[in-house]
Amino acid sequence: MELDRLIKNACEDWSAKAQMPVGLADLALRGRSRRRAVKAALAAALAAFLTGAAVVVGSTVATPIAERQPTQPPTPQLAFQPVALSADTAVRTDLGSTFPRRLVAAGHVAVAAYHTDRLRASAGGAKTVESTWYLYNPTSGTYEETPWANLDVAPGMHQAAVLEGPLPTSRVGLLDMKTQKVTRWISVEHPVGGVSWSPNGRRLIMTAYARNPYTIPAPGPCLLSGSVDAASRAGHGDIKPCGPDHASSRLGYYIVDESGDTTFHALPPDPANGNLPQDLGWSRDGTLIWAPTATAPTKVFYTPDGEQRPAPAHEADDAEPAGLSPNGTLLPKFGPRPGPAVTVRNVTTGKVVAVLPIEGAEAWADDHQLFAVGCDPKRCKGTGEFHNRLLLVNLKGEIKPLTGYHRSDREGSWVPLFTHR
């Protein structure tokens, strides 16, 4: 919601200067693609921890849907750190800070990092969403500002994958979170703009782009793919489809493991998805990867080599960022209106388990508690919905605040990254 509002504000600023392409506000949104990747990996790691089962990451031999291009010879002993998941389930809060300074955590999950976003002017009237990342430092016990343009934190919170700016970048760093130093660089031929750890923390998927996926092109009299026919029926047939600058520039992806192999797999973007970033993520058990869509179902699944597969049960139904609960039985969805409300339903029985007084379900802390976004109950109407904070809510509707309030509709508001601690 935070970045969505930021982009919409930029679009409103531009509207007086040029005709708006339909859906421009969605072009530069992270489009839930990155958030979904984080939630999928998080849920899988939680499921393994809570059931005591090991997460097995399979290597499926299949004919890829597109050409694979090796970009460098394998490098042995890549130094991925073993994943050591904490048994600590204590609730950690930082109520006195608009931007968290101390660790925020509950259940088996913590806010491992967070970012703030701002719009910067780019060439030709375009604008770029630039993120400032704050990463948890277990040595100091605080979140510290970093120089990285994008990152993801592995389960166990011992290691992060970091990307230099400007995006896309030709190398990915493996950062030791205790020392805050890069222990290894992974070089790639096709620059990458997104990165996501597998559920067991032993592999990385890196999404390659031809240009910065967070640069919004200057507005012009055009329509996104899929909207041209509708415009014609409405009497605006003179407006042409948007050009290539208005489409995602995703080229494909790399999957890197301890062998150091960085084989490139081509995977073009979904032309019906207006989001410029279309980062790839992992299925809950780590055996498949997925690409985001703009509509339901929310994901298209592939083998690691790129062969399309049916979606695992309910993994493409996650309208809320939290997705399925760790045990795979509960799924939150927004509503009923007018809210704020999120309904949690048992996907096996179809029964409603809870209707929670929250604005959004962000991540599962365990099978019974959710990280959520909630507004001040006395100020939730109108723009008051954007005066909110991070909460912990259980299935009984009992709420515990985790952070201080902030305005999520303004530049510089913070967006959490959840990881199994």
Side-chain angles (χ1 to χ4, degrees), residues 374-414:
C375 50
D376 184 340
K378 299 179 181 179
R379 301 173 57 185
C380 276
K381 295 183 179 180
T383 59
E385 68 176 295
F386 302 109
H387 179 71
N388 51 40
R389 60 182 171 181
L390 192 64
L391 310 168
L392 182 68
V393 57
N394 63 24
L395 296 178
K396 297 179 181 180
E398 298 168 337
I399 290 175
K400 182 178 182 61
L402 297 176
T403 67
Y405 283 106
H406 74 146
R407 290 287 306 190
S408 62
D409 58 339
R410 297 176 181 174
E411 284 194 355
S413 61
W414 69 278

Side-chain angles (χ1 to χ4, degrees), residues 139-292:
T139 302
S140 66
T142 61
Y143 298 99
E144 298 177 357
E145 184 176 345
T146 77
W148 312 117
N150 206 347
L151 60 82
D152 193 24
V153 177
M157 293 176 57
H158 299 295
Q159 189 167 220
V162 296
L163 304 182
E164 300 173 300
L167 298 174
T169 180
S170 59
R171 63 178 187 173
V172 177
L174 299 181
L175 182 135
D176 186 312
M177 290 180 63
K178 288 185 178 180
T179 64
Q180 298 290 296
K181 293 182 178 180
V182 173
T183 60
R184 188 68 177 265
W185 288 104
I186 305 168
S187 297
V188 293
E189 180 179 345
H190 300 282
V192 297
V195 63
S196 177
W197 289 95
S198 64
N200 68 354
R202 308 298 286 185
R203 295 198 289 181
L204 285 170
I205 188 168
M206 308 183 297
T207 308
Y209 294 92
R211 59 182 179 273
N212 193 327
Y214 298 110
T215 294
I216 316 164
C222 68
L223 292 168
L224 294 177
S225 175
S227 301
V228 178
D229 291 341
S232 179
R233 291 193 298 270
H236 299 288
D238 55 327
I239 301 180
K240 299 180 180 180
C242 293
D245 287 346
H246 294 81
S248 175
S249 66
R250 190 181 72 201
L251 300 173
Y253 62 94
Y254 298 90
I255 292 180
V256 187
D257 58 20
E258 292 161 301
S259 72
D261 180 33
T262 52
T263 301
F264 177 73
H265 305 257
L267 186 62
D270 175 4
N273 188 345
N275 293 316
L276 293 177
Q278 293 188 23
D279 292 349
L280 306 175
W282 297 91
S283 65
R284 285 165 54 89
D285 66 0
T287 61
L288 299 176
I289 63 172
W290 56 258

Side-chain angles (χ1 to χ4, degrees), residues 1-9 29 35 115 117 362 373 386 388-389 406-416:
M1 178 174 61
E2 293 84 354
L3 190 56
D4 297 29
R5 188 69 180 180
L6 177 63
I7 302 303
K8 291 183 187 297
N9 287 346
L29 301 182
R35 290 183 294 173
H115 62 88
D117 302 307
E362 295 296 301
V373 173
F386 302 109
N388 51 40
R389 60 182 171 181
H406 74 146
R407 290 287 306 190
S408 62
D409 58 339
R410 297 176 181 174
E411 284 194 355
S413 61
W414 69 278
V415 182

